[in-house]
C-alpha cells in the first residue's frame, strides 16, 4: 500500500479516501521550516516539527504517509 501511495497523482489520492492516506510537505511559517500534514482531500490536519515526526503521527492514525513537494 505504501509503494502505491508514493506513485499516485493528487486526484488519485483524493479518490482513495481521507481515512487511508495522509500527505505531508514542508512549509515555511514565520521563518521556521515545518511539516504540514493533510488528509487525502487536502484538508489540513496537523503540523509537525520535522518529517520523521509527521510520518510517526500519520502512522499512529493507521494511515499511509505520502510526501508531496
Amino acid at each position: 500500500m505504501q509503494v502505491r501511495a508514493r506513485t499516485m497523482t493528487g486526484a488519485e489520492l483524493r479518490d482513495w479516501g481521507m481515512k487511508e492516506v495522509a500527505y505531508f510537505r514542508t512549509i515555511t511559517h514565520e521563518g521556521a521550516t515545518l511539516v504540514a500534514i493533510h488528509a487525502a482531500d487536502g484538508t489540513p490536519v496537523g503540523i509537525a516539527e520535522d518529517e520523521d515526526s509527521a510520518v510517526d503521527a500519520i502512522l499512529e492514525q493507521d494511515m499511509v504517509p505520502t510526501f508531496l513537494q
Side-chain angles (χ1 to χ4, degrees), residues 24 35 37 48 50-60 63 65-66:
F24 62 97
V35 181
I37 303 170
D50 55 45
E51 291 181 9
D52 289 339
S53 298
V55 169
D56 289 344
I58 294 167
L59 291 173
E60 285 177 6
M63 299 174 81
T66 303

Side-chain angles (χ1 to χ4, degrees), residues 5-64:
R6 290 186 182 120
T7 62
M8 297 175 97
T9 66
E12 289 172 324
L13 284 172
R14 285 188 298 275
D15 291 342
W16 196 8
M18 288 181 18
K19 295 181 181 179
E20 297 171 347
V21 176
Y23 69 88
F24 62 97
R25 62 179 167 196
T26 56
I27 61 168
T28 302
H29 178 69
E30 296 181 2
T33 300
L34 300 170
V35 181
I37 303 170
H38 299 267
D41 71 347
T43 302
V45 294
I47 297 285
E49 291 184 7
D50 55 45
E51 291 181 9
D52 289 339
S53 298
V55 169
D56 289 344
I58 294 167
L59 291 173
E60 285 177 6
Q61 299 302 312
D62 294 323
M63 299 174 81
V64 176

